[in-house]
Amino acid sequence: MRAGESDAAGAVLDAARELGWHLPPDLNDRITEAIYAESSEIAGRRIRRRGGSLRLAWQETLDRILTGRWTGIPVMLLLLGSVLWVTIVGANYPSALLADLLLNRGWHLLREAAHAMGVPGWLGGITVDGMYLTTAWVVSVMLPPMAIFFPIFTILEDFGYLPRVAFNLDRIFKAVGAHGKQALTMSMGLGCNAAGVVACRIIDSPRERLIAIVTNNFALCNGRWPTQMLIASVFVGGLFPPVLGGFAAAGAVLLVAGLGFALAWLASLVLSRTVLRGEASTFSLELPPYRPPNILRTFYTSIIDRTIFVLFRAVVFALPAGAVIWLTANVQVGGQSLAYWMVAALDGPGWWLGLNGVILVAYIVAIPANEIVIPTVLMLTVLLTGQTGAGPGVMFEVDDADRFRQILAAGGWTALTGVCLMIFSLCHNPCSTTIYTIWRETRSAKWTVLATLLPFVPGVILCVLIACVWRAMAA
Amino acid sequence: MRLSKGDQRRVLVEDVLKHLHDCRSRGVSATEASAGGALGVGLDRIAKLLPELVEAGLVERRGDCLELTVAGEGYALSVIRAHRLYETYLADRTGTPLGEWHRRAEVEEHRLSPVAQDRLADSLGNPRFDPHGDPIPTRGGEVVAQAGRPLSGFVAGEDLVVTHMEDEPEEVFSEIAKLRLAPGMRLRVLGCSRGRLRVEVEGLVQELSLVAAERVHAVLSPAGGPAASQRRLSAISLGESARVLGISPACRGSERTRLLDLGVVPGSIVEAAFSGPLGDPTAYRLRGTMVGLRREQAEQIFVERI
Amino acid sequence: MGSCASCGAGGCGTAEVRVPGLQRLGLRPGTWDGIVALAGNPNTGKSTVFNRLTGLRQHTGNWPGKTIARAEGGFAYRGRRYRLIDLPGTYSLLSASPDEEVARDFILFGRPDVVVVVTDATALERNLNLALQVLQITERVVVCLNLTDEARALGVEVDVAGLSEDLGVPVVPCVAREGEGMIALLDAVHGVSVGEIECRPRRLKLSVPGLTGALDRLTSLVTGAFGDLPQARWVALRLLHGDRRITEAVRTGEIARLGAAVPAESGARS
Ligand SMILES: Nc1nc2c(ncn2[C@@H]2O[C@H](COP(=O)(O)OP(=O)(O)O)[C@@H](O)[C@H]2O)c(=O)[nH]1
Ligand SMILES: [Mg+2]
């Protein structure tokens, strides 16, 4: 049976070889041409066009603005800047509300309940002070900006703006031997780096695909937007009068996001001159027509799909992390807590980076999910500076941004810490999901390790540099 | 990669056979010294190997000269087939830069068994020529004759079709590669000045050094040269329309299929709609859709003004 | 696979327009009576249709290349349970780029009972290029003429009945984002799946010198070797052109599987 089959197969393949020899060598071209001729004929017969549609004129005008020589890039920056501004300013109030609800009232309520039920101190500590508090922080810090940012981003996506961004930036990526669609995959990375890495499959050339994968982490993902926005409004916005604070903060975040793109560009340049040497390959990108998005549905679904999904992930990671943080802050070794020792050990390197030990510990705890960096920082600061011990009601009675500033100031933070944290949050290892995704997409330990460690290079250099210059100027 | 002793020996045997084949096709006689020189191998190794080749019935000695037997010729052709198939594979199925084709095929030609060669050939649609225009020997060892003489031998005004480009030496080939010449392209010799040959290649005027022109082979075009109205798509200014004539033979593999699939087929009407803020890429209206192409790619598309 | 389903979903989701008789089965269809594949050019609304029918939340958005791996879900209609596959967008079945291969392989070797080709009514010419190719490898096709609202806005009118006549398969005009036309689409899928609607897919003429003769010869050899495959002619075409996957399938004999009748009324395949 098998032998017979393969004989038959052999005969078929031989015949194909023989017959193919007499056909035109550009067979594929001819066939595609023939099929197109038929579809063109059918379409010509079955389609009627009424000339001069308003929609067409409108689309042309939009393209003239959104990809125009003088307008294309300014409008792009303006759009992203406005999205950030709306998010930062808009998130303030609900954030304060949630914080009051979850941190102030909810936490007290739970504490009292635990006390009333006679829950042992350590169990109450792990669950209420550890798991609950961390999770509450995740929700109050992350939910409002996401609930504003994602719907706006999705509307831009449905509208058809993303491919125009790739179109506008292609030239820049081409100059460093990368693919224009890298702008698309980086835009995806603005949502989620893991999704961005998967999206790199749209890049045909293996070399350029690797470049795009390895550098995707420089696109600020949604796990890091809230960190950026919060730190920017506390430390950058705080330097300005209240009316300008929002603009300054949005400008700072835009600058960091722009720095991310610049670093991705630089990293691509270095990669395509060294380990991934080669020429820029081809670029063909369909620019779909602008389609007016269905705004209400987009809002609804992007809140359900993206926001809740990301929040869920953050909460899942925050719960165990909260327990771990509480334990490290309460398990005593040699008369001091474990967290104290860890923070003390990392304070030195932290100082050089313009950061501190707490932040570095938080980044280690938050390897599974970047979203919980800020909550971890807050938790550790609160626990280590003994702010929880000050008695109920003491710490959560001030307005949102001020409260953070107070907590952080107690931990010894300055504007330098804020700026360096923003840089470091942009330039550090990808989260575990992204690392796993990179491995799955490349099947190579080498590229996974490179992609994981690469961001530290500019991160450490920039932070050390800023810290040195800052301190020199302050002195 | 480290080769075992046996593999190293086989590679050397195959390289010697290829050298003998090469000498025969160029009409010069091969000797132990010429083989050692061409392969960069010590004479002692060649001398040790040759009796075995003679013993195996692959090579005959005629005085000092070495000749391939029929079996030896078949073996050499099989290695050449592997080489050219692999280059075609690299060109059509991978994004490997063309400067690397030859080097990688030099390694792979020693690894592809005849069965693997057949599979590769089937999966490539049994191509007749490699990307440089060299004929690929068939399974039975037939080789299509190759026509053409160096470009530098033609005079101004003659209409030609490129048949072959030599891929060695590398510096010269990289010049040819930059012009994105390929077998099958039509050109017209415009003239020669200051040591450079001016040619119009499918609607685009290009220059190449005489050294490079030596290594590009062509025949007189039976169907005449490029029409006066022919352009490259990249030369169409914004707002203008053109009719597609075809895609350059230099554009191969997935790059070519993607363009075809998007509707870049002869007869399609393209309109240059707008270009990006940095001048490149340009968006083209094509079959009811809008497609952004880089300049380099638009240059691969032959059109005529309408 | 499916990480894009988990990582960032957006766009279309639950419908306000209820489709009578449709039961969304989400991720776990359990057992099924038929497999339906969604194919089409990138950005034509495949994932939107998918989300409509399954209640899932595949990533949608107005740019080509969002769906990179195939996604699966289920729905039940008129008492039949279907597994629905959302394929990555593809411009053609002739090329061999990795993302397009996923789609091509599934249409060919996944043996779907019905292939729904989702087309963009505003760029029909390019979309028909793919639809015509799909018609060469499977008979059970429904063409979803999507984005008709956009077409209307652009002043494009499509003669649906005439198109259906030309293609030899049902053509259903839809506005997937708003849920318009979903009932008709489901009816067509159901009809084709149970055999109530008979498809007579248009065969390509392929006027290339010498091709017809070569194709005839090779097709008869293919059917001789592997039985009466419905796509024998297309297989022959791919062999002439040199298609890695197809030559491999011929060599291993896998190609014969294409001929095995699809058990249309089978209870549960899993
Ligand atoms: N106006 C309009 N937009 C639609 C329709 N169907 C889908 N879309 C939008 O078109 C875009 C592409 O849809 P998607 O399902 O992601 O396409 P896919 O690439 O084929 O999966 C999305 O922004 C959808 O919201 C429709 O019928 N009308
Ligand atoms: Mg999709």
Side-chain angles (χ1 to χ4, degrees):
Chain A
M1 179 71 198
R2 268 229 67 82
E5 243 171 36
S6 76
D7 270 358
V12 168
L13 291 174
D14 282 343
R17 225 168 272 142
E18 173 58 30
L19 291 165
W21 200 256
H22 304 289
L23 288 171
D26 55 347
L27 187 62
N28 194 23
D29 293 27
R30 304 283 194 107
I31 291 172
T32 317
E33 190 184 339
I35 302 176
Y36 257 111
E38 265 191 72
S39 40
S40 176
E41 182 218 334
I42 297 175
R45 193 156 10 117
R46 302 302 180 191
I47 285 181
R48 243 185 321 131
R49 276 172 210 282
R50 276 179 284 111
S53 101
L54 201 66
R55 172 65 66 87
L56 208 60
W58 175 81
Q59 284 178 341
E60 272 167 19
T61 312
L62 267 176
D63 261 329
R64 235 191 314 280
I65 298 168
L66 296 180
T67 65
R69 171 166 295 245
W70 302 112
T71 47
I73 289 178
V75 168
M76 193 177 80
L77 292 175
L78 198 71
L79 266 174
L80 187 58
S82 327
V83 172
L84 290 176
W85 180 78
V86 169
T87 308
I88 287 175
V89 171
N92 246 340
Y93 175 73
S95 236
L97 198 76
L98 276 175
D100 181 53
L101 209 70
L102 295 175
L103 297 179
N104 214 359
R105 293 161 205 254
W107 182 57
H108 285 161
L109 219 70
L110 280 176
R111 267 200 144 188
E112 278 158 26
H115 194 72
M117 289 193 316
V119 175
W122 63 269
L123 188 59
I126 286 190
T127 51
V128 178
D129 293 349
M131 295 165 86
Y132 172 77
L133 203 52
T134 312
T135 311
W137 249 314
V138 165
V139 174
S140 65
V141 167
M142 292 192 54
L143 180 58
M146 286 195 315
I148 300 174
F149 183 76
F150 284 159
I152 304 183
F153 190 81
T154 312
I155 285 174
L156 281 180
E157 187 182 342
D158 265 347
F159 178 57
Y161 186 57
L162 253 45
R164 267 77 185 178
V165 174
F167 183 79
N168 284 348
L169 296 179
D170 175 61
R171 179 75 192 275
I172 299 177
F173 283 101
K174 182 172 101 177
V176 293
H179 201 283
K181 285 185 189 165
Q182 194 170 327
L184 265 183
T185 59
M186 287 198 71
S187 305
M188 282 298 285
L190 294 180
C192 165
N193 289 134
V197 167
V198 177
C200 292
R201 288 189 204 167
I202 59 173
I203 299 175
D204 293 335
S205 135
R207 187 188 72 85
E208 286 153 37
R209 202 178 134 218
L210 269 176
I211 293 182
I213 288 178
V214 170
T215 57
N216 192 274
N217 191 46
F218 286 114
L220 208 55
C221 73
N222 63 46
R224 296 178 281 171
W225 283 110
T227 309
Q228 297 287 345
M229 295 186 194
L230 188 75
I231 299 298
S233 34
V234 170
F235 288 100
V236 180
L239 298 175
F240 293 82
V243 246
L244 294 178
F247 289 108
V253 179
L254 187 63
L255 220 60
V256 171
L259 178 68
F261 266 83
L263 288 174
W265 184 84
L266 205 66
S268 306
L269 175 79
V270 171
L271 286 173
S272 64
R273 294 279 184 281
T274 56
V275 277
L276 286 169
R277 202 189 308 274
E279 302 276 310
S281 74
T282 61
F283 173 76
S284 61
L285 174 70
E286 205 191 334
L287 298 172
Y290 297 102
R291 294 177 188 153
N294 184 329
I295 295 193
L296 279 182
R297 173 167 298 116
T298 306
F299 250 90
Y300 170 78
T301 50
S302 73
I303 287 191
I304 300 283
D305 294 348
R306 289 196 175 174
T307 312
I308 301 296
F309 172 78
V310 173
L311 193 69
F312 178 74
R313 193 180 101 105
V315 167
V316 165
F317 281 109
L319 282 170
V324 170
I325 296 163
W326 188 87
L327 282 174
T328 56
N330 284 277
V331 172
Q332 302 279 316
V333 180
Q336 285 289 356
S337 69
L338 207 58
Y340 173 86
W341 291 117
M342 287 164 67
V343 169
L346 289 173
D347 251 336
W351 185 86
W352 278 104
L353 293 170
L355 305 170
N356 57 40
V358 170
I359 297 175
L360 293 189
V361 171
Y363 269 102
I364 294 169
V365 174
I367 286 177
N370 279 307
E371 291 87 333
I372 62 172
V373 164
I374 283 294
T376 308
V377 165
L378 291 171
M379 278 295 295
L380 279 171
T381 309
V382 165
L383 290 170
L384 285 175
T385 53
Q387 290 184 53
T388 39
V394 171
M395 55 168 287
F396 301 130
E397 276 176 3
V398 272
D399 154 75
D400 196 39
D402 270 343
R403 187 186 58 230
F404 290 123
R405 199 183 348 256
Q406 279 193 354
I407 296 174
L408 295 175
W413 286 49
T414 61
L416 170 66
T417 326
V419 170
C420 286
L421 176 55
M422 284 176 77
I423 304 282
F424 195 71
S425 148
L426 174 71
C427 306
H428 66 87
N429 59 292
C431 72
S432 58
T433 315
T434 307
I435 297 177
Y436 171 68
T437 310
I438 293 172
W439 183 79
R440 216 186 41 190
E441 292 294 307
T442 61
R443 293 280 156 194
S444 142
K446 183 176 123 194
W447 296 117
T448 311
V449 169
L450 179 70
T452 306
L453 298 182
L454 179 75
F456 282 112
V457 177
V460 169
I461 293 176
L462 282 173
C463 283
V464 170
L465 218 64
I466 292 174
C468 285
V469 171
W470 190 293
R471 288 183 182 123
M473 277 174 30
Chain B
M1 194 174 305
R2 292 213 50 82
L3 293 176
S4 72
K5 263 228 143 55
D7 283 340
Q8 276 176 11
R9 212 186 72 96
R10 191 166 49 81
V11 168
L12 186 62
V13 167
E14 292 176 354
D15 284 342
V16 169
L17 295 179
K18 257 186 11 175
H19 171 70
L20 298 189
H21 176 85
D22 184 42
C23 287
R24 176 193 281 184
S25 60
R26 282 187 293 131
V28 299
S29 50
T31 60
E32 287 187 22
S34 78
L39 304 179
V41 179
L43 270 185
D44 48 330
R45 279 187 72 194
I46 304 274
K48 225 172 80 195
L49 191 70
L50 267 175
E52 295 175 39
L53 295 183
V54 174
E55 176 84 358
L58 297 168
V59 176
E60 284 170 347
R61 281 181 196 276
R62 296 253 169 81
D64 255 0
C65 293
L66 304 172
E67 294 252 334
L68 287 173
T69 62
V70 174
E73 175 79 13
Y75 195 162
L77 282 176
S78 155
V79 179
I80 292 168
R81 173 168 154 86
H83 182 102
R84 294 182 180 166
L85 276 173
Y86 198 71
E87 282 194 340
T88 312
Y89 163 77
L90 289 177
D92 286 359
R93 296 289 145 90
T94 69
T96 316
L98 63 177
E100 278 178 37
W101 295 344
H102 182 69
R103 199 169 44 74
R104 291 178 57 171
E106 280 291 295
V107 178
E108 207 62 30
E109 65 186 12
H110 302 297
R111 298 203 185 132
L112 283 177
S113 67
V115 174
Q117 289 173 20
D118 287 346
R119 292 200 175 168
L120 193 58
D122 283 342
S123 75
L124 293 168
N126 296 295
R128 276 156 261 189
F129 294 94
D130 78 359
H132 308 297
D134 284 314
I136 299 174
T138 63
R139 193 152 60 141
E142 289 165 61
V143 190
V144 186
Q146 190 184 28
R149 52 200 171 87
L151 211 52
S152 42
F154 292 92
V155 297
E158 282 184 308
D159 288 332
L160 315 171
V161 178
V162 177
T163 54
H164 174 242
M165 310 165 320
E166 274 172 40
D167 52 2
E168 283 172 313
E170 225 173 291
E171 317 84 66
V172 179
F173 180 62
S174 77
E175 185 192 337
I176 300 171
K178 268 207 202 80
L179 299 175
R180 297 211 71 174
L181 285 177
M185 286 172 94
R186 292 178 307 168
L187 52 83
R188 177 175 301 144
V189 181
L190 296 178
C192 187
S193 65
R194 278 175 282 119
R196 298 182 69 78
L197 192 69
R198 272 164 58 81
V199 285
E200 184 194 333
V201 188
E202 303 271 8
L204 182 72
V205 176
Q206 297 182 317
E207 279 190 2
L208 69 170
S209 70
L210 287 182
V211 194
E214 273 299 315
R215 286 176 170 72
V216 177
H217 295 226
V219 291
L220 284 174
S221 169
S229 62
Q230 181 168 344
R231 295 277 180 284
R232 304 289 182 97
L233 183 58
S234 50
I236 298 295
S237 34
L238 295 185
E240 270 188 344
S241 292
R243 181 180 293 111
V244 175
L245 295 171
I247 303 175
S248 162
C251 173
R252 305 175 63 107
S254 63
E255 184 187 351
R256 187 183 191 88
T257 12
R258 177 52 49 90
L259 286 177
L260 287 169
D261 291 343
L262 287 170
V264 184
V265 295
S268 291
I269 305 293
V270 252
E271 183 199 334
F274 55 87
S275 52
L278 304 168
D280 190 40
T282 300
Y284 296 93
R285 234 185 283 281
L286 176 68
R287 303 238 173 210
T289 60
M290 191 79 86
V291 178
L293 296 177
R294 285 181 179 167
R295 190 181 170 75
E296 289 77 5
Q297 272 179 293
E299 207 159 77
Q300 302 299 304
I301 299 172
F302 306 158
V303 298
E304 63 180 350
R305 307 269 283 280
I306 46 173
Chain C
M1 278 215 191
S3 117
C4 32
S6 59
C7 257
C12 243
T14 41
E16 296 80 53
V17 191
R18 291 264 157 243
V19 180
L22 170 66
Q23 192 190 347
R24 297 188 176 87
L25 299 176
L27 266 179
R28 309 227 171 283
T31 61
W32 59 83
D33 311 301
I35 301 177
V36 178
L38 290 166
N41 279 188
N43 216 26
T44 53
K46 295 175 296 298
S47 298
T48 310
V49 172
F50 177 87
N51 292 346
R52 278 266 158 214
L53 298 184
T54 60
L56 290 172
R57 301 170 193 291
Q58 264 295 298
H59 186 169
T60 66
N62 190 8
W63 55 284
K66 304 157 299 267
T67 312
I68 332 148
R70 65 171 212 239
E72 305 194 3
F75 69 92
Y77 187 68
R78 292 221 229 142
R80 277 171 69 85
R81 300 167 74 87
Y82 296 91
R83 201 161 74 119
L84 186 65
I85 321 285
D86 184 20
L87 294 172
T90 161
Y91 290 110
S92 145
L93 301 176
L94 296 173
S95 56
S97 90
D99 50 335
E100 299 195 327
E101 214 157 290
V102 175
R104 207 271 310 271
D105 279 359
F106 190 83
I107 297 175
L108 200 55
F109 298 105
R111 288 199 290 139
D113 298 76
V114 183
V115 177
V116 176
V117 181
V118 182
T119 54
D120 177 350
T122 66
L124 205 52
E125 214 172 312
R126 229 261 314 278
N127 281 258
L128 282 179
N129 174 48
L130 175 73
L132 286 172
Q133 292 178 35
V134 173
L135 289 178
Q136 309 311 302
I137 58 176
T138 162
E139 313 202 316
R140 298 146 166 261
V141 174
V142 173
V143 170
C144 165
L145 186 70
N146 195 30
L147 292 151
T148 46
D149 56 337
E150 288 292 306
R152 221 172 297 132
L154 286 167
V156 175
E157 257 175 59
V158 183
D159 170 6
V160 175
L163 188 60
S164 171
E165 190 182 307
D166 279 351
L167 298 177
V169 297
V171 176
V172 184
C174 292
V175 183
R177 202 174 66 182
E178 314 304 327
E180 275 172 44
M182 288 295 119
I183 303 178
L185 184 67
L186 283 167
D187 283 337
V189 167
H190 181 83
V192 170
S193 166
V194 300
E196 277 169 14
I197 301 178
E198 200 167 328
C199 301
R200 301 178 178 285
R202 179 195 185 95
R203 295 291 166 203
L204 284 170
K205 290 196 281 285
L206 295 182
S207 43
V208 177
L211 184 59
T212 316
L215 268 182
D216 289 344
R217 279 273 316 281
L218 198 54
T219 309
S220 67
L221 281 173
V222 169
T223 43
F226 300 106
D228 210 359
L229 309 180
Q231 351 27 21
R233 203 174 172 79
W234 190 80
V235 170
L237 185 66
R238 296 313 289 154
L239 288 177
L240 287 176
H241 175 239
D243 180 312
R244 191 161 19 115
R245 182 76 174 84
I246 303 296
T247 37
E248 217 34 59
V250 166
R251 197 185 314 285
T252 59
E254 186 192 359
I255 209 86
R257 253 185 43 200
L258 300 179
V262 176
E265 284 302 331
S266 79
R269 283 187 280 144
S270 48

